[in-house]
Amino acid sequence: MSFLQSLKNNVRQRSIHVCYVNVGSCNGCDIEILACLAPRYDIEQYGIYVHNNPREADILLITGAFCEQWEDKLADLWDKIPEPKAAVTIGNCPVSGCVFNRRGSFVDPPVSKHIPVTASIPGCPPRPTEILSTILSVASELFKDYEDK
Amino acid sequence: MFSIFCYLREFLRPEWWKKFLFVKTAPLVTPPHYRDFPVLTGNECSHELRCMMICPAPGAIEVLKNAEGKWEPVIYKGHCIRCGLCVEACPDNVLTSGDILSVNEKEKTYFLASYHLNVDDSICMRCGNCSVACPVNKEVDPQLAYTATSSSNEVIMRIKNSKLTIIHPEKCTGCKTCEEACPNHAITVARVLEGFQDED
Ligand code: SF4
Ligand code: SF4
Ligand code: SF4
Ligand code: SF4
């Protein structure tokens, strides 16, 4: 591996920009993302930066059970993210609809039906540590030697 | 002038450069009291299904037979909300999560289950399917299993005086086999779980 490539790998793994979108959650998972930003977990010390602009993002965090209104919007948002990119779903909602997936509710989980999802973090809501470690493990796989892929 | 000197002295320390270049982030740890997804303790499941009864999340837990043919609860991540109620409700402590079991033991809290049978006489056609299907009945009166008729008064329910009569509702284990066996959906089983605490 060239020196340049290893430098790129190194730098990319320590500069991950995430963008999050709520496609109909109860806000529980969003609050756990907020806890990641707060001093106790301090997401930036791991080289993860929250940048709520899909055009600058590497990783899209998705919370929520996918309400009908997101049918066209989420795919649009996903297309705006430049390569290399990954979608990580947070909580039970994007996997199963969690407590909202009952007869008569207007949700359409799983989110992986609508856009390609790289990883899912189960839990209602998941711990901040689980969110952090998932982002870190996804990012190191995704951005390593990206030019050769 | 003095402050510049101070800055320089600060940044020329090898310690500072080491910290700056080789930062170590705190490890991501989970405290032991955290209620993660319930895991098996190794105790044998007696198939009372209280976990499935109490679980508030749709599709989160199922009691299935494992490779050895023993009953065992299976928890589906992505459905389970980690409330820990299945851990508390299980009478055999088959599941564990965080400090739930030790707290229950300390505070002497537990759940008790009771079952209520209800027959709608207007749609029951007195076929007796339910009393033949009931596993408790078969155990109490083996004759029932072989001949599908019973004259014992020890069974939970049977056709008596040309009517489905519930004789011993307290023997019911809440398995709902009778509900499934009834062609008319005439018999229903209500499963009620109550929380208790011993005071002394
Ligand atoms: S997984 Fe649970 S906490 Fe997260 S959004 Fe869904 S219901 Fe809320
Ligand atoms: S922890 Fe709660 S949601 Fe999960 S399986 Fe047990 S009862 Fe169901
Ligand atoms: S619930 Fe099960 S034990 Fe109770 S009466 Fe019905 S079949 Fe028998
Ligand atoms: S199976 Fe249903 S219809 Fe038949 S005796 Fe039982 S309750 Fe009545």
Side-chain angles (χ1 to χ4, degrees), chain B residues 3-17:
Chain B
S3 62
I4 291 174
F5 170 73
C6 283
Y7 273 120
L8 277 178
R9 201 183 55 177
E10 173 70 14
F11 292 136
L12 284 176
R13 280 188 309 128
E15 191 62 13
W16 190 92
W17 280 101

Side-chain angles (χ1 to χ4, degrees), chain B residues 117 130 133-136 156-157 171-178 189:
Chain B
L117 294 168
C130 51
C134 174
V136 178
I156 297 177
M157 75 298 217
K171 287 188 187 169
C172 174
T173 60
C175 67
K176 293 209 177 203
T177 310
C178 51
V189 185

Side-chain angles (χ1 to χ4, degrees), chain A residues 14 45-46 92 95-96 98-99 101-102 122-127 129-130 132-133 136, chain B residues 23-31 34 36-37 56-58 77-82:
Chain A
R14 293 202 63 85
Q45 71 177 325
Y46 301 94
N92 285 354
V95 180
S96 65
C98 201
V99 288
N101 196 0
R102 312 254 168 171
C124 178
R127 278 177 67 78
T129 51
E130 292 171 327
L132 279 170
S133 56
L136 290 173
Chain B
V23 276
K24 263 241 156 33
T25 47
L28 297 168
V29 287
T30 304
Y34 176 61
D36 208 335
F37 293 107
K77 291 182 180 180
H79 292 258
C80 170
I81 61 170
R82 302 197 268 208

Side-chain angles (χ1 to χ4, degrees), chain B residues 2 47-48 50 59 68 77 81 83 86 109 111 114 147-148 151-152 159 161 167 181 184 186:
Chain B
F2 180 66
H47 200 239
E48 297 204 21
R50 299 214 188 144
E68 292 159 32
K77 291 182 180 180
I81 61 170
C83 63
C86 53
T109 54
F111 282 112
S114 57
T147 64
S151 50
S152 156
I159 308 291
N161 307 333
I167 308 165
N184 295 351

Side-chain angles (χ1 to χ4, degrees), chain A residues 2-142:
Chain A
S2 71
F3 171 71
L4 189 65
Q5 187 65 50
S6 64
L7 190 71
K8 276 185 185 169
N9 285 352
N10 237 325
V11 170
R12 279 199 184 127
Q13 278 172 39
R14 293 202 63 85
S15 166
I16 305 155
H17 288 254
V18 303
C19 164
Y20 57 81
V21 58
N22 175 339
V23 294
S25 85
C26 76
N27 250 7
C29 289
D30 305 80
I31 286 171
E32 295 306 309
I33 297 177
L34 197 70
C36 289
L37 306 177
R40 182 167 185 138
Y41 294 102
D42 189 13
I43 204 166
E44 297 200 349
Q45 71 177 325
Y46 301 94
I48 307 169
Y49 304 91
V50 173
H51 221 302
N52 252 352
N53 178 356
R55 289 193 200 280
E56 294 177 55
D58 301 310
I59 289 182
L60 179 66
L61 300 180
I62 302 160
T63 62
F66 204 89
C67 294
E68 283 173 346
Q69 297 94 315
W70 283 92
E71 199 63 60
D72 46 341
K73 295 186 188 89
L74 188 66
D76 258 13
L77 205 150
W78 175 243
D79 287 338
K80 287 196 176 109
I81 303 179
E83 293 279 351
K85 60 184 174 184
V88 176
T89 65
I90 295 185
N92 285 354
C93 276
V95 180
S96 65
C98 201
V99 288
F100 302 115
N101 196 0
R102 312 254 168 171
R103 208 182 310 132
S105 65
F106 295 103
V107 295
D108 192 13
V111 167
S112 53
K113 209 158 69 180
H114 307 276
I115 61 167
V117 167
T118 308
S120 297
I121 314 170
C124 178
R127 278 177 67 78
T129 51
E130 292 171 327
I131 299 176
L132 279 170
S133 56
T134 308
I135 296 176
L136 290 173
S137 57
V138 164
S140 57
E141 283 296 312
L142 187 72

Side-chain angles (χ1 to χ4, degrees), chain B residues 83-146:
Chain B
C83 63
L85 283 173
C86 53
V87 177
E88 275 188 75
C90 179
D92 306 313
N93 292 353
V94 172
L95 293 164
T96 182
S97 166
D99 59 355
I100 297 175
L101 288 183
S102 54
V103 168
N104 274 4
E105 202 176 318
K106 199 176 91 215
E107 303 194 337
K108 298 196 179 68
T109 54
Y110 53 93
F111 282 112
L112 277 187
S114 57
Y115 312 100
H116 303 278
L117 294 168
N118 186 35
V119 184
D120 187 343
D121 279 328
S122 62
I123 47 176
C124 169
M125 60 181 180
R126 292 124 178 99
C127 63
N129 274 3
C130 51
S131 48
V132 176
C134 174
V136 178
N137 275 4
K138 280 182 198 153
E139 218 164 273
V140 172
D141 185 7
Q143 192 205 348
L144 187 73
Y146 300 124

